[in-house]
Amino acid sequence: MNAKQTAIVLLELQNDFLSEGGKLYPLLKPVLEKHQVIANLNRLINGARKQGMLIVHTPIQFSPDYREMGHAPYGIMATVKDAGALVKKTWGSEIAPVIDRRDSDIVIDGKSSIDAFAGTNLDFVLRAHGITTIALAGQLTNICIESTMRSAYDKGYRVFGITDASATIGLEQYRISVENNWPMFSLPVTQREFLEQAAGSCSATSPGSSCGQ
């Protein structure tokens, strides 16, 4: 794994999901707490940044009237609309302050669908930076991450899914996604396993030097 060709793609690390008072936070809280997701996200981000990897945020946002969803949203989109969550230019749609975000990180605008590649310039940005490997983390394990994972797999990226740095609505839904679905489209690993593998690849390629240099 070449750190300079690797990106951490972070999905929806926003207040409505990750912060007390967030409109969807209570639904994710059991998974967030059981797997220490916020702490592991920051460990992933900090470790990847030290190795010279690209950090990319892909928040999801909607107009106040949720026009992006059409006239009759259903499924997860209906859940978001009914909760009044993730509205543009509100506290709920902002990247949560518990996340270690830097000015050097890239934020992809325009995500209003489940797949982070759909309707955004994510693929262009990754290829412009020479990225061939991506690690996915954030929300929701079995929805936006899984959809983005499938697209990335089809686009030819080498895809890692960071198991302990993602969350969803319900512990069982989390388990089924990570254990049964992710292995079809990614290499599921913990944040520690990913960072250790990346560091090992770096050392093997350039003994005595840092991949981030």
Side-chain angles (χ1 to χ4, degrees), residues 57-80:
H57 291 267
T58 61
I60 188 169
Q61 300 180 351
F62 301 95
S63 302
D65 60 1
Y66 295 94
R67 69 191 68 174
E68 297 86 354
M69 296 183 183
H71 298 298
Y74 59 93
I76 188 62
M77 290 299 189
T79 300
V80 171

Side-chain angles (χ1 to χ4, degrees), residues 78-131:
T79 300
V80 171
K81 183 177 180 180
D82 291 345
L86 302 168
V87 174
K88 294 176 183 177
K89 298 181 180 179
T90 66
W91 173 84
S93 69
E94 294 174 359
I95 295 175
V98 293
I99 297 301
D100 183 7
R101 179 184 166 194
R102 306 285 177 86
D103 290 341
S104 57
D105 298 344
I106 293 175
V107 179
I108 301 295
D109 294 321
K111 184 178 185 300
S112 60
S113 61
I114 292 172
D115 176 6
F117 288 98
T120 74
N121 67 343
L122 175 59
D123 188 52
F124 172 83
V125 169
L126 294 175
R127 296 193 188 280
H129 284 267
I131 301 300

Side-chain angles (χ1 to χ4, degrees), residues 121-156:
N121 67 343
L122 175 59
D123 188 52
F124 172 83
V125 169
L126 294 175
R127 296 193 188 280
H129 284 267
I131 301 300
T132 58
T133 298
I134 66 171
L136 298 173
Q139 281 70 240
L140 295 167
T141 308
N142 60 330
I143 302 173
C144 291
I145 291 183
E146 198 167 300
S147 293
T148 303
M149 183 179 287
R150 292 169 188 250
S151 288
Y153 185 87
D154 275 342
K155 293 177 186 297

Side-chain angles (χ1 to χ4, degrees), residues 28-37 171 174:
L28 275 68
K29 187 175 181 180
V31 177
L32 290 171
E33 291 184 347
K34 179 178 176 63
H35 295 285
Q36 300 181 343
V37 171
L171 289 165
Y174 168 90

